[in-house]
Amino acid sequence: LSITFSEDMNRNSVEKGLSFFGNGLSVEYYLEWENSRKLKIKPVRELQNGCQYTLTLEQSAKDVYVPSG
């Protein structure tokens, strides 16, 4: 699985805001950043056919833009 963002992302905020569930149970995974816009989500165990998975990214995930002010 991968996510491609339109902006360079704050990695820490993305990682804290990510959750992954299968049939209501938490899925163990690890993350691999290709660059500041592309994130790979790699489940520890093989995903099962017929299982409904939900990957959620909270609004707390931010890009690296810091407004001047």
Side-chain angles (χ1 to χ4, degrees):
L1 304 168
S2 65
I3 301 173
T4 302
F5 299 98
S6 62
E7 303 289 334
D8 293 339
M9 297 302 290
N10 175 302
R11 293 179 183 196
N12 191 44
S13 72
V14 171
E15 292 173 10
K16 286 183 178 181
L18 194 64
S19 61
F20 191 15
F21 290 90
N23 285 344
L25 301 173
S26 182
V27 174
E28 290 184 71
Y29 60 91
Y30 64 95
L31 301 174
E32 180 181 304
W33 287 91
E34 285 192 15
N35 55 51
S36 59
R37 291 187 182 191
K38 188 163 187 178
L39 173 63
K40 287 186 177 183
I41 300 103
K42 299 188 172 192
V44 172
R45 292 178 185 80
E46 187 174 325
L47 299 179
Q48 301 298 310
N49 288 328
C51 183
Q52 181 175 347
Y53 292 96
T54 304
L55 180 68
T56 304
L57 182 59
E58 299 293 331
Q59 290 182 346
S60 60
K62 303 294 182 192
D63 62 30
V64 296
Y65 173 74
V66 177
S68 59

Coordinates of all heavy atoms in Angstrom, one line a residue:
L1 N 0.8 -1.2 0.0 CA 0.0 0.0 0.0 C 0.9 1.2 0.0 O 2.0 1.2 0.6 CB -0.9 0.0 1.3 CG -1.8 -1.2 1.5 CD1 -2.3 -1.1 2.9 CD2 -2.9 -1.2 0.5
S2 N 0.4 2.3 -0.7 CA 1.2 3.5 -0.6 C 0.3 4.7 -0.7 O -0.8 4.6 -1.2 CB 2.2 3.6 -1.8 OG 1.5 3.6 -3.0
I3 N 0.8 5.8 -0.1 CA 0.1 7.1 -0.2 C 1.1 8.1 -0.8 O 2.2 8.2 -0.4 CB -0.2 7.6 1.3 CG1 -1.1 6.6 2.0 CG2 -0.9 9.0 1.2 CD1 -1.4 6.9 3.4
T4 N 0.6 8.8 -1.8 CA 1.3 9.9 -2.4 C 0.6 11.2 -2.0 O -0.5 11.4 -2.4 CB 1.5 9.7 -3.9 OG1 2.1 8.5 -4.2 CG2 2.3 10.8 -4.5
F5 N 1.3 12.1 -1.4 CA 0.8 13.4 -0.9 C 1.1 14.4 -2.0 O 2.1 14.3 -2.7 CB 1.4 13.8 0.4 CG 1.1 12.8 1.5 CD1 2.0 11.8 1.9 CD2 -0.1 12.8 2.2 CE1 1.8 10.9 2.9 CE2 -0.4 11.9 3.2 CZ 0.6 11.0 3.6
S6 N 0.3 15.5 -2.0 CA 0.6 16.6 -3.0 C 1.6 17.6 -2.4 O 2.1 18.4 -3.2 CB -0.8 17.3 -3.2 OG -1.3 17.9 -2.1
E7 N 1.9 17.5 -1.2 CA 2.9 18.4 -0.5 C 3.9 17.5 0.2 O 3.7 16.4 0.6 CB 2.2 19.3 0.5 CG 1.1 20.2 -0.1 CD 1.6 21.3 -1.0 OE1 2.7 21.7 -0.9 OE2 0.8 21.7 -1.9
D8 N 5.1 18.1 0.5 CA 6.1 17.5 1.4 C 5.4 17.4 2.8 O 4.9 18.4 3.3 CB 7.3 18.3 1.5 CG 8.1 18.3 0.2 OD1 7.9 17.4 -0.7 OD2 8.9 19.2 -0.1
M9 N 5.5 16.3 3.4 CA 4.8 16.1 4.7 C 5.7 16.0 5.9 O 6.9 15.7 5.8 CB 4.0 14.8 4.6 CG 2.9 14.7 3.6 SD 1.7 16.0 3.7 CE 0.8 15.5 5.2
N10 N 5.2 16.4 7.0 CA 5.8 16.3 8.3 C 5.7 14.8 8.7 O 4.6 14.4 9.0 CB 5.2 17.2 9.3 CG 5.7 17.0 10.7 OD1 5.7 15.9 11.3 ND2 6.2 18.1 11.3
R11 N 6.7 14.1 8.6 CA 6.7 12.6 8.8 C 6.1 12.2 10.1 O 5.3 11.3 10.3 CB 8.1 12.0 8.5 CG 8.5 12.1 7.1 CD 9.9 11.6 6.9 NE 10.3 11.8 5.5 CZ 11.2 11.1 4.9 NH1 12.0 10.3 5.6 NH2 11.6 11.4 3.6
N12 N 6.6 12.9 11.2 CA 6.1 12.5 12.5 C 4.6 12.7 12.7 O 4.0 11.8 13.2 CB 6.9 13.4 13.6 CG 6.7 12.9 15.0 OD1 6.7 11.7 15.2 ND2 6.4 13.8 15.9
S13 N 4.1 13.8 12.1 CA 2.6 14.0 12.3 C 1.8 13.0 11.5 O 0.8 12.5 11.9 CB 2.2 15.4 11.8 OG 2.3 15.6 10.4
V14 N 2.4 12.6 10.3 CA 1.7 11.5 9.5 C 1.7 10.2 10.2 O 0.7 9.5 10.4 CB 2.4 11.4 8.1 CG1 1.8 10.2 7.4 CG2 2.2 12.6 7.3
E15 N 2.9 9.8 10.7 CA 3.0 8.5 11.4 C 2.1 8.5 12.7 O 1.6 7.4 13.0 CB 4.5 8.3 11.8 CG 5.3 8.1 10.5 CD 6.8 8.0 10.7 OE1 7.2 7.9 11.9 OE2 7.5 8.0 9.7
K16 N 2.0 9.5 13.4 CA 1.2 9.6 14.6 C -0.3 9.5 14.2 O -1.1 9.0 15.0 CB 1.5 10.8 15.5 CG 2.7 10.7 16.2 CD 3.0 11.9 17.1 CE 4.2 11.8 17.9 NZ 4.5 12.9 18.8
G17 N -0.7 10.1 13.1 CA -2.1 10.2 12.7 C -2.6 9.0 11.9 O -3.7 9.0 11.4
L18 N -1.8 8.0 11.6 CA -2.1 6.9 10.8 C -2.6 5.7 11.6 O -2.1 5.4 12.7 CB -0.9 6.4 10.0 CG -1.1 5.5 8.8 CD1 -1.9 6.2 7.7 CD2 0.3 5.1 8.3
S19 N -3.7 5.1 11.2 CA -4.2 3.8 11.8 C -4.7 2.9 10.7 O -5.1 3.3 9.6 CB -5.4 4.1 12.8 OG -6.5 4.7 12.1
F20 N -4.6 1.6 11.0 CA -4.9 0.6 10.0 C -5.6 -0.6 10.7 O -5.1 -1.1 11.7 CB -3.5 0.1 9.4 CG -3.6 -0.8 8.2 CD1 -4.8 -0.9 7.5 CD2 -2.5 -1.5 7.8 CE1 -4.8 -1.7 6.3 CE2 -2.5 -2.3 6.6 CZ -3.7 -2.4 5.9
F21 N -6.8 -0.9 10.2 CA -7.6 -1.9 10.9 C -8.2 -2.9 9.8 O -8.4 -2.5 8.7 CB -8.8 -1.3 11.6 CG -8.5 -0.5 12.8 CD1 -8.1 0.8 12.8 CD2 -8.4 -1.2 14.1 CE1 -7.8 1.5 13.9 CE2 -8.0 -0.5 15.2 CZ -7.7 0.9 15.1
G22 N -8.3 -4.1 10.2 CA -8.9 -5.2 9.4 C -10.0 -5.9 10.2 O -9.7 -6.4 11.3
N23 N -11.2 -5.8 9.7 CA -12.4 -6.4 10.5 C -12.4 -5.9 11.9 O -12.7 -6.6 12.8 CB -12.4 -7.9 10.4 CG -12.8 -8.4 9.1 OD1 -13.4 -7.7 8.2 ND2 -12.5 -9.7 8.8
G24 N -12.1 -4.6 12.1 CA -12.2 -4.0 13.4 C -11.0 -4.2 14.3 O -10.9 -3.7 15.4
L25 N -10.0 -5.0 13.9 CA -8.8 -5.3 14.7 C -7.6 -4.5 14.1 O -7.5 -4.4 12.9 CB -8.5 -6.8 14.7 CG -9.6 -7.7 15.2 CD1 -9.2 -9.1 15.0 CD2 -9.9 -7.4 16.7
S26 N -6.7 -4.0 15.0 CA -5.6 -3.3 14.5 C -4.6 -4.2 13.7 O -4.4 -5.4 14.0 CB -4.8 -2.8 15.8 OG -3.7 -2.0 15.4
V27 N -4.2 -3.7 12.6 CA -3.2 -4.4 11.7 C -1.8 -3.9 12.0 O -1.6 -2.7 12.0 CB -3.5 -4.1 10.2 CG1 -2.5 -4.8 9.3 CG2 -4.9 -4.7 9.9
E28 N -0.9 -4.8 12.3 CA 0.5 -4.4 12.5 C 1.1 -4.1 11.2 O 1.0 -4.8 10.2 CB 1.3 -5.5 13.2 CG 0.9 -5.8 14.6 CD 1.8 -6.9 15.2 OE1 3.0 -6.6 15.5 OE2 1.2 -8.0 15.4
Y29 N 1.9 -3.0 11.2 CA 2.6 -2.6 9.9 C 3.8 -1.8 10.3 O 4.0 -1.4 11.4 CB 1.6 -1.7 9.1 CG 1.2 -0.4 9.8 CD1 1.9 0.8 9.7 CD2 0.0 -0.4 10.7 CE1 1.5 1.9 10.3 CE2 -0.4 0.7 11.3 CZ 0.4 1.9 11.1 OH 0.0 3.0 11.8
Y30 N 4.6 -1.6 9.3 CA 5.8 -0.7 9.4 C 5.7 0.2 8.2 O 5.0 0.0 7.2 CB 7.1 -1.4 9.5 CG 7.5 -2.3 8.4 CD1 8.4 -1.7 7.4 CD2 7.1 -3.6 8.2 CE1 8.8 -2.5 6.4 CE2 7.6 -4.4 7.2 CZ 8.4 -3.8 6.2 OH 8.8 -4.6 5.2
L31 N 6.4 1.4 8.3 CA 6.3 2.4 7.3 C 7.7 2.6 6.7 O 8.7 2.5 7.3 CB 5.9 3.7 8.0 CG 4.6 3.7 8.7 CD1 4.3 5.0 9.4 CD2 3.5 3.4 7.7
E32 N 7.7 2.9 5.4 CA 8.9 3.2 4.6 C 8.6 4.4 3.8 O 7.8 4.4 2.9 CB 9.2 2.0 3.8 CG 10.4 2.2 2.9 CD 10.7 0.9 2.1 OE1 10.8 -0.2 2.6 OE2 10.8 1.1 0.8
W33 N 9.3 5.5 4.1 CA 9.2 6.7 3.3 C 10.1 6.7 2.1 O 11.3 6.5 2.3 CB 9.6 8.0 4.2 CG 8.6 8.3 5.2 CD1 8.5 7.9 6.5 CD2 7.5 9.2 5.0 NE1 7.4 8.4 7.1 CE2 6.8 9.2 6.2 CE3 7.0 10.0 4.0 CZ2 5.6 10.0 6.4 CZ3 5.9 10.7 4.1 CH2 5.2 10.8 5.4
E34 N 9.6 6.8 0.9 CA 10.4 6.9 -0.3 C 11.0 8.3 -0.4 O 12.2 8.4 -0.8 CB 9.6 6.5 -1.5 CG 9.4 5.1 -1.7 CD 8.8 4.7 -3.0 OE1 8.9 5.5 -4.0 OE2 8.3 3.6 -3.1
N35 N 10.2 9.3 -0.1 CA 10.7 10.7 0.0 C 9.6 11.4 0.8 O 8.8 10.7 1.5 CB 10.8 11.3 -1.4 CG 9.5 11.1 -2.3 OD1 8.4 11.5 -1.8 ND2 9.7 10.6 -3.5
S36 N 9.7 12.7 0.9 CA 8.8 13.4 1.8 C 7.3 13.5 1.3 O 6.5 14.0 2.0 CB 9.3 14.8 2.0 OG 9.4 15.5 0.8
R37 N 7.1 12.9 0.1 CA 5.7 12.9 -0.4 C 5.1 11.5 -0.5 O 3.9 11.3 -0.7 CB 5.6 13.6 -1.7 CG 5.8 15.1 -1.6 CD 5.6 15.8 -2.9 NE 5.8 17.2 -2.8 CZ 5.5 18.1 -3.7 NH1 4.9 17.7 -4.8 NH2 5.7 19.3 -3.5
K38 N 6.0 10.5 -0.5 CA 5.5 9.1 -0.8 C 5.8 8.2 0.4 O 7.0 8.0 0.7 CB 6.1 8.6 -2.1 CG 5.4 7.2 -2.4 CD 5.7 6.9 -3.9 CE 4.8 5.6 -4.2 NZ 5.0 5.2 -5.6
L39 N 4.8 7.6 0.9 CA 4.9 6.7 2.1 C 4.3 5.3 1.7 O 3.2 5.2 1.1 CB 4.0 7.3 3.2 CG 3.8 6.4 4.4 CD1 5.2 6.2 5.1 CD2 2.9 7.1 5.4
K40 N 5.1 4.3 2.0 CA 4.7 2.9 1.8 C 4.3 2.3 3.2 O 5.0 2.5 4.2 CB 5.8 2.0 1.2 CG 6.0 2.3 -0.2 CD 7.0 1.3 -0.8 CE 7.2 1.5 -2.2 NZ 8.2 0.5 -2.8
I41 N 3.1 1.7 3.2 CA 2.6 1.0 4.4 C 2.7 -0.5 4.2 O 2.1 -1.0 3.2 CB 1.1 1.4 4.7 CG1 1.0 2.9 4.9 CG2 0.6 0.7 5.9 CD1 0.4 3.6 3.7
K42 N 3.5 -1.1 5.0 CA 3.8 -2.6 4.8 C 3.3 -3.4 6.0 O 3.9 -3.3 7.1 CB 5.3 -2.8 4.6 CG 5.8 -2.0 3.4 CD 7.2 -2.4 3.1 CE 7.6 -1.8 1.7 NZ 8.9 -2.3 1.3
P43 N 2.2 -4.1 5.8 CA 1.7 -5.0 6.9 C 2.7 -6.0 7.3 O 3.4 -6.5 6.4 CB 0.4 -5.6 6.3 CG 0.1 -4.7 5.1 CD 1.3 -4.2 4.6
V44 N 2.8 -6.3 8.5 CA 3.7 -7.3 9.0 C 3.3 -8.7 8.5 O 4.1 -9.5 8.1 CB 3.8 -7.3 10.6 CG1 4.6 -8.5 11.1 CG2 4.4 -6.0 11.1
R45 N 2.0 -9.0 8.5 CA 1.4 -10.2 8.0 C 0.7 -10.0 6.7 O 0.2 -8.9 6.5 CB 0.5 -10.8 9.0 CG 1.2 -11.3 10.3 CD 0.2 -11.8 11.3 NE 0.9 -12.1 12.6 CZ 1.2 -11.2 13.5 NH1 1.0 -10.0 13.4 NH2 1.8 -11.6 14.6
E46 N 0.6 -11.0 5.9 CA -0.1 -10.9 4.6 C -1.6 -10.6 4.9 O -2.2 -11.1 5.8 CB 0.0 -12.3 3.9 CG -0.6 -12.2 2.5 CD -0.4 -13.5 1.8 OE1 0.7 -14.2 2.0 OE2 -1.2 -13.9 1.0
L47 N -2.1 -9.6 4.1 CA -3.5 -9.3 4.2 C -4.4 -10.4 3.7 O -4.0 -11.2 2.7 CB -3.8 -8.0 3.4 CG -3.0 -6.8 3.8 CD1 -3.4 -5.6 2.9 CD2 -3.3 -6.4 5.2
Q48 N -5.6 -10.6 4.3 CA -6.4 -11.7 4.0 C -7.5 -11.4 3.0 O -8.1 -10.3 3.1 CB -7.1 -12.2 5.3 CG -6.1 -12.7 6.3 CD -5.2 -13.9 5.9 OE1 -5.8 -14.8 5.4 NE2 -3.9 -13.7 6.0
N49 N -7.8 -12.2 2.0 CA -8.9 -12.1 1.1 C -10.2 -12.1 1.9 O -10.4 -12.8 2.9 CB -9.0 -13.2 0.1 CG -7.9 -13.1 -0.9 OD1 -7.4 -12.0 -1.3 ND2 -7.4 -14.2 -1.4
G50 N -11.2 -11.2 1.5 CA -12.5 -11.2 2.1 C -12.5 -10.4 3.4 O -13.6 -10.3 4.0
C51 N -11.5 -9.8 3.8 CA -11.4 -9.0 5.0 C -11.5 -7.5 4.6 O -10.9 -7.1 3.6 CB -10.1 -9.2 5.7 SG -9.9 -8.3 7.3
Q52 N -12.3 -6.8 5.3 CA -12.5 -5.3 5.0 C -11.4 -4.6 5.8 O -11.3 -4.7 7.0 CB -13.8 -4.8 5.4 CG -14.0 -3.3 5.1 CD -15.4 -2.9 5.4 OE1 -16.4 -3.6 5.6 NE2 -15.6 -1.6 5.4
Y53 N -10.6 -3.8 5.1 CA -9.5 -3.0 5.8 C -9.8 -1.5 5.7 O -10.4 -1.1 4.7 CB -8.2 -3.3 5.1 CG -7.7 -4.7 5.3 CD1 -7.9 -5.7 4.4 CD2 -7.0 -5.0 6.5 CE1 -7.5 -7.0 4.6 CE2 -6.6 -6.3 6.7 CZ -6.8 -7.3 5.8 OH -6.4 -8.6 6.0
T54 N -9.4 -0.8 6.7 CA -9.6 0.6 6.8 C -8.3 1.2 7.2 O -7.7 0.9 8.2 CB -10.7 1.0 7.8 OG1 -11.9 0.3 7.5 CG2 -10.9 2.5 7.8
L55 N -7.8 2.1 6.3 CA -6.6 2.9 6.6 C -7.1 4.4 6.8 O -7.7 4.9 5.9 CB -5.6 2.8 5.4 CG -4.3 3.5 5.5 CD1 -3.5 2.9 6.7 CD2 -3.6 3.5 4.2
T56 N -6.7 4.9 7.9 CA -7.2 6.3 8.3 C -6.0 7.2 8.6 O -5.1 6.8 9.2 CB -8.1 6.3 9.5 OG1 -9.2 5.4 9.3 CG2 -8.6 7.6 9.8
L57 N -6.1 8.4 8.0 CA -5.1 9.4 8.3 C -5.8 10.6 8.9 O -6.6 11.2 8.3 CB -4.3 9.8 7.1 CG -3.2 10.8 7.3 CD1 -2.1 10.3 8.2 CD2 -2.6 11.2 5.9
E58 N -5.5 10.9 10.2 CA -6.1 11.9 10.9 C -5.8 13.3 10.3 O -4.7 13.5 9.7 CB -5.7 11.9 12.4 CG -6.1 10.6 13.1 CD -7.6 10.4 13.3 OE1 -8.3 11.4 13.3 OE2 -8.0 9.3 13.3
Q59 N -6.6 14.3 10.6 CA -6.4 15.7 10.2 C -5.1 16.3 10.9 O -4.7 17.3 10.4 CB -7.6 16.5 10.4 CG -8.7 16.2 9.5 CD -9.9 17.1 9.7 OE1 -10.0 17.8 10.7 NE2 -10.8 17.1 8.8
S60 N -4.6 15.6 11.9 CA -3.4 16.1 12.6 C -2.2 16.0 11.7 O -1.2 16.6 12.0 CB -3.3 15.4 13.9 OG -3.1 14.0 13.7
A61 N -2.3 15.2 10.6 CA -1.1 15.0 9.7 C -1.0 16.3 9.0 O -1.9 16.9 8.4 CB -1.4 13.9 8.8
K62 N 0.2 16.9 9.0 CA 0.5 18.2 8.4 C 1.6 18.1 7.4 O 2.5 17.3 7.5 CB 0.9 19.2 9.5 CG -0.1 19.4 10.6 CD -1.4 20.0 10.1 CE -2.3 20.2 11.3 NZ -3.7 20.5 10.8
D63 N 1.6 19.1 6.5 CA 2.7 19.2 5.5 C 3.8 20.0 6.2 O 3.6 20.5 7.4 CB 2.3 19.8 4.2 CG 1.7 21.2 4.3 OD1 2.1 22.0 5.2 OD2 0.9 21.6 3.5
V64 N 4.9 20.2 5.6 CA 6.0 20.9 6.2 C 6.0 22.4 6.1 O 6.8 23.1 6.6 CB 7.4 20.4 5.7 CG1 7.6 18.9 6.0 CG2 7.5 20.6 4.2
Y65 N 5.0 22.9 5.4 CA 4.8 24.3 5.2 C 4.6 25.0 6.5 O 3.8 24.6 7.3 CB 3.7 24.7 4.3 CG 3.3 26.1 4.2 CD1 4.2 27.0 3.5 CD2 2.2 26.6 4.9 CE1 3.9 28.3 3.4 CE2 2.0 28.0 4.8 CZ 2.8 28.8 4.1 OH 2.5 30.2 4.0
V66 N 5.4 26.0 6.8 CA 5.2 26.8 8.0 C 5.0 28.2 7.6 O 5.8 28.9 6.9 CB 6.5 26.7 8.9 CG1 6.3 27.6 10.1 CG2 6.8 25.3 9.3
P67 N 3.8 28.8 7.9 CA 3.5 30.1 7.4 C 4.4 31.2 8.1 O 4.8 31.0 9.2 CB 2.0 30.3 7.9 CG 1.8 29.3 8.9 CD 2.7 28.2 8.7
S68 N 4.8 32.1 7.3 CA 5.6 33.2 7.8 C 4.7 34.2 8.5 O 3.6 34.3 8.1 CB 6.4 33.9 6.7 OG 5.6 34.4 5.7
G69 N 5.2 34.9 9.5 CA 4.3 35.7 10.1 C 4.8 36.6 11.1 O 4.4 37.4 11.7

